[in-house]
Amino acid sequence: MRNVVVVGSQWGDEGKGKIVDWLSSEADVVVRFQGGHNAGHTLVIDQKVFKLRLLPSGIVREGKISILGNGVVIDPWALLSEIAEIKKKGINVTPKNFMISESASLILPFHQEMDEIREDTAGKGKIGTTRRGIGPCYEDKVGRRSIRVMDLRSESNLDVRLENVLLHHNAIRKGLKKKIYKKDELKKKLLKIAPEILKFAKPVWLRLDNFKKERKKILFEGAQGILLDVDHGTYPYVTSSNTVPASAATGSGSGPDKIGYILGITKAYTTRVGSGPFPTELKNKIGESLGKRGKEFGTVTSRKRRCGWFDGVLVRQTIKISGINGIALTKLDVLDELDEIKMCVEYELNGKKIDYLPAASEDQFNLKPIYQTFPGWKTKTQGIRNMKDLPENAKKYIYALEDFIGAKVSSISTSPEREDTILIEDPFKA
């Protein structure tokens, strides 16, 4: 038995929701360990669609325990709204099946406003954030001035903590000629919702230690993708947290020795939301076709995703950085109608060939992809659940992809439906 970490190996939106739901049926505990309500997961269960933003995917399954770890930043109002929304669909969220780390930092209204101000004034330097206050909240966390879940327990402590964080933010807001936040008004709002938040607050690291002793299967659910990692992604066009699987340990209080298998969710082509470099982007009819067939719109923002060919160089790099053991290949069926399919196997930069993503943003924008071309299969793969039933050309593409990135394909998704999955290797038993 192994505990499993699920991460996206590209820029996010790889189809983690379906895979996590599929794995959570076998897991006992599902843990979110970074990010915030900027990460959307869409689940389709018994023809009922769930669009989760902050709640772990395990919440929709009876008998599972869902956790938000200390590495997650939590908008308390957004969390309570999502809980109310999911309850309307028949899902009960109680302290028995859901808990949040008492050490998690809270996203407050001025965080979201600062996010919006920066994006609106950035011009061509716009990052493409979801404008939900994630980055500014992480900044306060690193600056040791954030309000954490545990601060809601004491009015006097909350008073001191708010004074500290507002001293910083109001100075900036005054310089930008924005309204100054009044401590007492914000404190009143927080104290009003404090009981609803605190009933879920626990020492998550201790609960996880107990779960391990009880030999429960733990699934760590990552948000976004590794190419959005603040250290290893396409900086500065990245998120504000570490999205690599090592964060499962630091973002939950669980030792890295308790992680047994790392599963990288990998789309059969490539997509990206927002600004930033994208070497294999297709600004043509093929790109439009991939977006239409793949229904490439963000779960949280509904923004149209940019589409392109599979970038083997990038995925090979994220696999090496992250220690991914196997990949779950998703949306294979989106490629069904193409005459030919391309995979990036090298770049050209300033007339020279390179086989990795350079760190400088300027270089990343100037990369020219070098492709290997494969014949399409021109037949339906949607709903196939057995490897032997795939078209031969589809198998050839999968085997070539697997060989190039240096990681085995452990499963293949052939539709959004949970059951339409070809299982090659069970991460919990591998």
Side-chain angles (χ1 to χ4, degrees):
M1 185 198 74
R2 299 182 176 208
N3 296 321
V4 176
V5 180
V6 172
V7 292
S9 70
Q10 295 154 304
W11 277 293
D13 308 308
E14 300 94 348
K16 291 186 293 295
K18 170 190 168 175
I19 303 299
V20 170
D21 172 59
W22 174 60
L23 289 170
S24 68
S25 63
E26 194 174 342
D28 301 302
V29 182
V30 182
V31 185
R32 273 279 310 271
F33 56 85
Q34 49 77 221
H37 63 308
N38 56 340
H41 288 173
T42 301
L43 311 178
V44 182
I45 301 171
D46 297 328
Q47 298 183 331
K48 189 179 287 188
V49 178
F50 297 92
K51 293 188 176 183
L52 304 178
R53 297 173 292 279
L54 191 56
L55 291 168
S57 298
I59 200 71
V60 300
R61 299 212 159 269
E62 192 174 347
K64 312 296 178 183
I65 298 170
S66 293
I67 297 175
L68 295 181
N70 55 277
V72 179
V73 287
I74 300 171
D75 181 324
W77 294 278
L79 174 61
L80 294 176
S81 174
E82 190 171 340
I83 289 172
E85 183 182 314
I86 203 170
K87 279 186 175 179
K88 290 179 181 177
K89 294 191 175 184
I91 304 297
N92 271 327
V93 181
T94 73
K96 288 185 178 180
N97 69 347
F98 176 61
M99 65 182 74
I100 60 180
S101 171
E102 57 189 4
S103 302
S105 293
L106 297 178
I107 299 172
L108 301 178
F110 51 77
H111 290 132
Q112 183 172 341
E113 288 182 24
M114 183 55 64
D115 215 351
E116 292 171 347
I117 290 168
R118 286 176 179 168
E119 282 291 277
D120 289 340
T121 58
K124 291 182 179 180
K126 189 177 290 186
I127 300 297
T129 77
T130 54
R131 298 170 175 253
R132 277 158 170 73
I134 311 297
C137 183
Y138 273 117
E139 287 179 38
D140 280 348
K141 177 180 178 178
V142 175
R144 299 182 293 270
R145 57 181 172 263
S146 69
I147 307 298
R148 301 199 289 175
V149 172
M150 65 181 72
D151 293 324
L152 299 178
R153 290 195 179 117
S154 164
E155 183 175 347
S156 59
N157 181 60
L158 180 60
D159 196 75
V160 173
R161 300 300 301 154
L162 281 172
E163 191 168 323
N164 183 47
V165 72
L166 288 177
L167 180 67
H168 172 82
H169 279 274
N170 279 338
I172 297 173
R173 296 179 69 86
K174 187 176 180 181
L176 294 171
K177 297 181 180 180
K178 301 294 179 181
K179 75 167 187 176
I180 301 300
Y181 264 87
K182 294 182 180 179
K183 179 187 67 176
D184 290 343
E185 289 181 9
L186 188 52
K187 184 175 72 171
K188 185 178 179 180
K189 291 178 181 178
L190 284 168
L191 290 174
K192 183 178 180 180
I193 62 169
E196 287 301 304
I197 297 296
L198 289 172
K199 70 181 182 183
F200 299 116
K202 300 288 188 299
V204 160
W205 67 271
L206 184 59
R207 294 302 177 95
L208 285 173
D209 188 58
N210 290 333
F211 292 147
K212 290 174 215 162
K213 289 175 182 176
E214 296 166 4
R215 296 191 60 77
K216 291 188 181 296
K217 294 180 184 178
I218 304 172
L219 180 63
F220 295 91
E221 177 184 8
Q224 290 99 22
I226 293 164
L227 289 169
L228 291 175
D229 185 278
V230 70
D231 287 310
H232 302 289
T234 47
Y235 189 92
Y237 302 94
V238 292
T239 193
S240 300
S241 60
N242 286 112
T243 60
V244 291
S247 295
T250 55
S252 66
S254 178
D257 61 316
K258 299 301 187 293
I259 296 169
Y261 191 98
I262 300 169
L263 180 66
I265 315 303
T266 306
K267 198 176 285 185
Y269 49 102
T270 310
T271 60
R272 176 164 201 171
V273 172
S275 306
F278 186 168
T280 64
E281 184 174 11
L282 294 169
K283 298 179 180 180
N284 56 21
K285 289 183 179 180
I286 296 175
E288 288 292 323
S289 172
L290 290 174
K292 187 176 180 180
R293 282 183 54 80
K295 298 179 181 178
E296 297 296 353
F297 295 92
T299 300
V300 172
T301 62
S302 296
R303 289 185 296 178
K304 186 178 179 181
R305 295 174 188 145
R306 301 153 64 191
C307 298
W309 295 121
F310 181 81
D311 194 328
V313 179
L314 285 184
V315 174
R316 182 176 62 185
Q317 186 164 323
T318 61
I319 284 170
K320 292 179 184 296
I321 288 168
S322 302
I324 287 172
N325 300 108
I327 67 164
L329 191 66
T330 64
K331 293 199 171 184
L332 182 70
D333 55 300
V334 175
L335 305 178
D336 285 353
E337 296 180 359
L338 297 173
D339 293 317
E340 62 178 26
I341 296 159
K342 295 183 179 182
M343 177 170 67
C344 178
V345 294
E346 208 169 16
Y347 299 131
E348 182 183 312
L349 177 64
N350 301 325
K352 295 182 179 180
K353 291 182 178 181
I354 61 172
D355 60 358
Y356 65 95
L357 179 76
S361 180
E362 182 181 12
D363 289 341
Q364 292 171 3
F365 277 109
N366 291 325
L367 292 172
K368 295 179 180 178
I370 298 171
Y371 292 114
Q372 181 178 350
T373 303
F374 301 85
W377 41 91
K378 301 289 289 182
T379 187
K380 182 179 176 182
T381 63
Q382 184 176 0
I384 289 178
R385 302 178 185 180
N386 196 304
M387 190 72 178
K388 66 179 178 60
D389 295 329
L390 287 174
E392 284 304 311
N393 282 348
K395 291 179 189 176
K396 288 176 182 177
Y397 176 67
I398 293 165
Y399 294 144
L401 182 152
E402 183 179 54
D403 184 62
F404 184 82
I405 64 176
K408 55 194 168 189
V409 174
S410 65
S411 64
I412 302 166
S413 173
T414 57
S415 94
E417 294 295 330
R418 179 175 173 270
E419 292 77 14
D420 291 340
T421 304
I422 300 169
L423 178 63
I424 300 166
E425 178 179 79
D426 186 336
F428 280 112
K429 298 172 183 176

